[in-house]
Amino acid sequence: MCRKVSIIVCCYNQGKYLSEAIESILLQTYKNWECIIINDGSEDDTEKISVAYENMDSRIRYIYQDNQGVCKARNLSLIHISEPTRLDVIS
């Protein structure tokens, strides 16, 4: 059985790097993963990019919260993990 890997991407005005990070995840040979993108109140194009990828791949989920800091964003992501067997955080 291949365990699901949950990849958490917390963003605050990091839209210019987000596509590269998500593309890197999509290129992985291991396919049993989910990517949870937490937008921590960004004012750039983070939401637009995230929603586009969410619409492209059902393993990608986008969540918005008002800016509360990276710790609150990571904690919010833990609520949304489908199978908490392994957790990778991209900072």
Side-chain angles (χ1 to χ4, degrees):
M1 177 178 134
C2 293
R3 293 185 174 172
K4 182 176 277 188
V5 175
S6 298
I7 304 161
I8 308 305
V9 182
C10 299
C11 294
Y12 178 70
N13 292 333
Q14 296 296 313
K16 63 184 174 182
Y17 305 111
L18 186 56
S19 290
E20 183 178 359
I22 297 171
E23 288 295 329
S24 175
I25 295 165
L26 290 169
L27 290 172
Q28 299 303 305
T29 56
Y30 190 81
K31 299 298 181 189
N32 191 19
W33 55 263
E34 64 182 345
C35 177
I36 302 170
I37 303 167
I38 306 290
N39 181 351
D40 189 31
S42 297
E43 298 174 354
D44 63 357
D45 57 352
T46 295
E47 180 170 24
K48 179 181 175 185
I49 294 165
S50 299
V51 169
Y53 279 101
E54 182 180 43
N55 291 333
M56 261 180 22
D57 194 311
S58 63
R59 298 172 295 177
I60 298 173
R61 288 186 283 149
Y62 170 73
I63 299 160
Y64 177 87
Q65 73 172 14
D66 291 332
N67 183 254
Q68 299 177 52
V70 69
C71 291
K72 293 267 188 174
R74 286 184 184 145
N75 288 340
L76 177 61
S77 71
L78 297 176
I79 297 168
H80 296 279
I81 292 174
S82 63
E83 297 176 30
T85 57
R86 179 177 173 186
L87 175 65
D88 292 336
V89 179
I90 299 174
S91 296

